[in-house]
């Protein structure tokens, strides 16, 4: 997989959209990620499975911040699950904390996503 590859796959389970990101989130792929997640946010909460996300650059961090703002505007949640160490480190280096709830596993993510937003 090259640096400009990102596979975004979304599956609707009940009222929650599960989006898996595979590859790299950078200036080449950020817009693709944002468009896909916003499309799901229009209809419900989103669980972002990042298990196969290899790399997040500064532009990827900006994409996550954009998604946080969009989730607020659409009154739905984005819950992160399966964060690789490289993604956690990218968030720490960028000073990003508490942008999204992070679930320990898929079951916890579904419980969080199913709760009404305040």
């Amino acid at each position: 997989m090259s640096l400009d590859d990102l596979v975004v796959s979304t599956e609707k389970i009940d009222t929650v959209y599960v989006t898996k990101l595979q590859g790299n989130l950078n200036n080449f792929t950020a817009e693709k990620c944002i468009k896909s997640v916003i499309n799901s946010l229009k209809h419900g909460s989103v669980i972002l499975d990042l298990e196969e996300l290899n790399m997040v650059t500064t532009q990827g961090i900006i994409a996550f911040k954009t998604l946080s703002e969009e989730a607020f505007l659409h009154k739905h949640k984005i819950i992160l699950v399966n964060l690789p160490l490289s993604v956690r480190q990218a968030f720490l280096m960028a000073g990003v904390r508490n942008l999204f709830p992070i679930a320990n596993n898929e079951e916890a993510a579904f419980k969080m996503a199913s709760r009404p937003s305040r």
Side-chain angles (χ1 to χ4, degrees):
M1 189 170 278
S2 70
L3 285 176
D4 59 348
D5 284 344
L6 179 73
V7 176
V8 181
S9 56
T10 301
E11 175 183 8
K12 183 179 180 192
I13 301 174
D14 294 327
T15 60
V16 178
Y17 292 81
V18 179
T19 299
K20 294 184 181 194
L21 302 180
Q22 298 171 280
N24 303 304
L25 187 54
N26 55 36
N27 56 321
F28 300 112
T29 61
E31 193 63 33
K32 177 181 182 179
C33 174
I34 291 169
K35 285 180 182 179
S36 178
V37 175
I38 288 174
N39 190 43
S40 297
L41 273 174
K42 292 175 183 176
H43 307 287
S45 293
V46 175
I47 295 173
L48 270 181
D49 185 342
L50 306 180
E51 185 173 18
E52 296 182 50
L53 188 62
N54 300 325
M55 178 185 69
V56 177
T57 65
T58 303
Q59 196 64 37
I61 296 294
I62 292 169
F64 278 115
K65 288 181 178 181
T66 300
L67 291 175
S68 176
E69 293 165 4
E70 290 291 330
F72 179 79
L73 291 174
H74 287 93
K75 296 183 172 68
H76 292 294
K77 299 177 194 171
I78 296 177
I79 291 97
L80 305 183
V81 68
N82 299 325
L83 273 75
L85 181 59
S86 62
V87 174
R88 288 182 189 272
Q89 289 174 335
F91 281 175
L92 286 174
M93 289 188 328
V96 176
R97 295 174 194 248
N98 303 323
L99 196 58
F100 301 104
I102 300 173
N104 292 327
N105 54 47
E106 287 86 359
E107 183 179 339
F110 274 100
K111 286 181 182 176
M112 293 167 79
S114 299
R115 288 186 204 125
S117 296
R118 292 182 189 186

